[in-house]
Amino acid sequence: AQSVTQLGSHVSVSEGALVLLRCNYSSSVPPYLFWYVQYPNQGLQLLLKYTTGATLVKGINGFEAEFKKSETSFHLTKPSAHMSDAAEYFCAVRSSLGGTSYGKLTFGQGTILTVHP
Amino acid sequence: DTEVTQTPKHLVMGMTNKKSLKCEQHMGHRAMYWYKQKAKKPPELMFVYSYEKLSINESVPSRFSPECPNSSLLNLHLHALQPEDSALYLCASSQVLAGVVPPYNEQFFGPGTRLTVL
């Protein structure tokens, strides 16, 4: 079984400050990890994903995340927050096992990011 | 075209009504998904279609009836819903390779339909 824990349901930063959203996963096999962003009343948009290879993954809108196997973490960062970053962020994991054919995503509970002027 | 479109954007229905949600994608994806998302919660998987066949039903009540008439279209038929079914309903699609969805493939989400059941 796999699971995702996002530490902090709400994170508040000032514009221009570092954004750090935490995600820890549990998986018995090497995972595939995703960060999605959801703006109010909209669907989910993929920010970035980790599959294999380089553990530092760069995504859209200046976000990046680092896969740390030893810490079972995949934290999302952005050096300088912008007002437009205010949204809800979901970390998700998918098992690398080929068992199911549809690739079920397991989502964390989400972190709401607020950016203050 | 990398979009998943959903109609309507908003839907209000009574408990005795019958309505349908529609989802469309033209990316050639052969896996399509319905999710339900309650406020301040992550999406919950409801159904998965693979090659227009229902692959997974996550124990969803029969008042929700999915349909995949062709490879681009996914419907969700609603009947006799309850107020607790009010939520954002999201559709997603994903590429299928050799009959499976590779675990590294992301799902592309539509904007959702905001459903209110009175």
Side-chain angles (χ1 to χ4, degrees), chain B residues 5 8 34 38 53 59-60 65 78 81 85 93 99 102 111-112 115 117:
Chain B
T5 58
W34 278 116
K38 301 284 278 186
K53 289 185 170 41
S59 302
V60 178
S65 174
L78 315 172
L81 294 193
D85 296 322
S93 70
L115 174 68
V117 182

Side-chain angles (χ1 to χ4, degrees), chain A residues 59-103:
Chain A
I60 63 172
N61 302 338
F63 284 94
E64 61 182 37
E66 187 171 10
F67 171 63
K68 291 187 177 181
K69 184 178 178 181
S70 61
E71 299 177 8
T72 60
S73 69
F74 191 55
H75 302 331
L76 182 71
T77 60
K78 182 174 180 178
S80 177
H82 192 271
M83 297 293 289
S84 60
D85 295 326
E88 188 161 18
Y89 292 79
F90 291 97
C91 183
V93 64
R94 178 180 295 158
S95 170
S96 60
L97 281 176
T100 56
S101 62
Y102 61 85

Side-chain angles (χ1 to χ4, degrees), chain A residues 32 34 36 38 41-44 46 49 51 88 90 94-96 101-105 107-109 112, chain B residues 33 35 37 41-43 45 48 56 58 88 90 99-107 109-111 114:
Chain A
Y32 292 88
F34 304 80
Y36 282 89
Q38 185 175 32
N41 297 310
Q42 293 190 26
L44 278 70
L46 181 71
K49 66 179 179 180
T51 55
E88 188 161 18
F90 291 97
R94 178 180 295 158
S95 170
S96 60
S101 62
Y102 61 85
K104 182 176 179 178
L105 279 173
F107 287 96
Q109 290 298 303
I112 295 173
Chain B
Y33 311 74
Y35 287 86
Q37 186 180 24
K41 293 290 186 183
L45 183 65
V48 182
I56 296 293
E58 293 281 300
L88 181 68
L90 295 165
V100 300
V101 176
Y104 48 80
N105 272 11
E106 66 263 33
Q107 294 177 16
F109 285 81
R114 176 72 63 188

Side-chain angles (χ1 to χ4, degrees), chain B residues 26-80:
Chain B
H26 296 285
M27 294 180 278
H29 292 172
R30 302 305 293 274
M32 296 186 76
Y33 311 74
W34 278 116
Y35 287 86
K36 174 183 178 180
Q37 186 180 24
K38 301 284 278 186
K40 303 190 187 307
K41 293 290 186 183
E44 298 176 12
L45 183 65
M46 300 174 71
F47 302 104
V48 182
Y49 273 81
S50 179
Y51 292 97
E52 298 85 69
K53 289 185 170 41
L54 183 63
S55 298
I56 296 293
N57 176 341
E58 293 281 300
S59 302
V60 178
S62 60
R63 56 186 185 269
F64 295 91
S65 174
E67 177 197 22
C68 191
N70 60 57
S71 60
S72 300
L73 192 56
L74 185 66
N75 297 319
L76 186 62
H77 303 298
L78 315 172
H79 173 55

